[in-house]
Amino acid sequence: SHVLTQPPSVSVAPGQTATVACGGRSLGIETVHWYQQKPGQAPVLVVYADKYRPYGIPERFSGSNSGNTATLIIYGVEAGDEAGYFCQVWDKSGDHPVFGGGTKLTVL
Amino acid sequence: HITLKESGPALVKPTQTLTLTCTFSDFSLSTYGVGVGWIRQPPGKALEWLALIYWNDEKRYNTSLQSRLTITKDTSKNQVVLSLTNVGPVDTATYYCGHRPGDLDYFDFWGQGALVTVSS
């Protein structure tokens, strides 16, 4: 079964690029999705299938996935990006989602 | 556009059964490949998947909670119901339901969540 590891926190200055890592064995052969969760709100899908954005998500959000690490990339970080970010893959053998532990992004 | 909303008790006593309803709109749970899942999040902690039901009534459960969980659907009412038996303080969490698009392995729409506290 998959185990996804995320750093508890990441800090970045406004206007800079934020990267949030998600580690897992051979993660590069899986499809990774990312959710943003602001305090008191439900998660929102911001990147699916490693690097694609759902409708309505700013172009500043992107992603990559290779080797044992998937990365959420946020270009030109804004104060409104301050939130928790969770990665997710699908366990095909058990047919269920697996979530990472989450990373809190702080905008300095 | 697709919406989901969770409903149920805000407070449940230990050993009782928690029953939550997810009422959704703008999609049908009889459409090929579509699923609705339940995910919970204890305060300040990570997301934990609980159960999933598909358009064809196939069900999946978190193996660590399987003996306590039941998921059902009422397609005519656009509802999915989750039951969790013998609750304890560790089950205190916000419970979310989410829409899984057909043949895709993520949740593209989520409900607002329902906070459930287990306490005597």
Side-chain angles (χ1 to χ4, degrees), chain B residues 23-67:
Chain B
T23 304
F24 54 85
S25 65
D26 277 4
F27 72 92
S28 173
L29 202 38
S30 58
T31 299
Y32 177 87
V34 172
V36 170
W38 284 94
I39 303 100
R40 72 180 179 182
Q41 185 176 37
K45 296 190 177 180
L47 301 168
E48 178 185 30
W49 170 74
L50 299 175
L52 181 65
I53 191 165
Y54 285 107
W55 64 284
N56 58 0
D57 209 35
E58 285 202 14
K59 302 163 188 178
R60 305 287 184 267
Y61 294 104
N62 184 318
T63 54
S64 65
L65 295 164
Q66 186 166 7
S67 63

Side-chain angles (χ1 to χ4, degrees), chain A residues 68-93:
Chain A
N68 296 317
T69 305
T71 303
L72 173 69
I73 308 165
I74 309 173
Y75 299 98
V77 167
E78 302 174 355
D81 299 331
E82 188 163 283
Y85 291 87
F86 295 88
C87 57
Q88 178 244 307
V89 298
W90 202 268
D91 184 313
K92 293 178 177 58
S93 62

Side-chain angles (χ1 to χ4, degrees), chain A residues 54-67:
Chain A
Y55 178 79
I57 300 301
E59 292 183 13
R60 304 183 294 102
F61 288 82
S62 185
S64 66
N65 185 17
S66 179

Side-chain angles (χ1 to χ4, degrees), chain A:
Chain A
S1 184
H2 299 281
V3 176
L4 302 179
T5 303
Q6 297 184 240
S9 61
V10 168
S11 298
V12 63
Q16 299 302 301
T17 297
T19 58
V20 181
C22 175
R25 189 173 61 182
S26 301
L27 194 55
I29 65 173
E30 304 293 336
T31 302
V32 180
H33 319 291
W34 291 92
Y35 301 90
Q36 176 194 68
Q37 186 180 33
K38 296 182 178 179
Q41 298 184 21
V44 173
L45 181 71
V46 292
V47 168
Y48 67 93
D50 297 338
K51 60 183 180 180
Y52 300 98
R53 287 173 292 106
Y55 178 79
I57 300 301
E59 292 183 13
R60 304 183 294 102
F61 288 82
S62 185
S64 66
N65 185 17
S66 179
N68 296 317
T69 305
T71 303
L72 173 69
I73 308 165
I74 309 173
Y75 299 98
V77 167
E78 302 174 355
D81 299 331
E82 188 163 283
Y85 291 87
F86 295 88
C87 57
Q88 178 244 307
V89 298
W90 202 268
D91 184 313
K92 293 178 177 58
S93 62
D95 192 20
H96 63 81
V98 176
F99 293 96
T103 297
K104 177 173 171 51
L105 175 68
T106 299
V107 181
L108 300 171

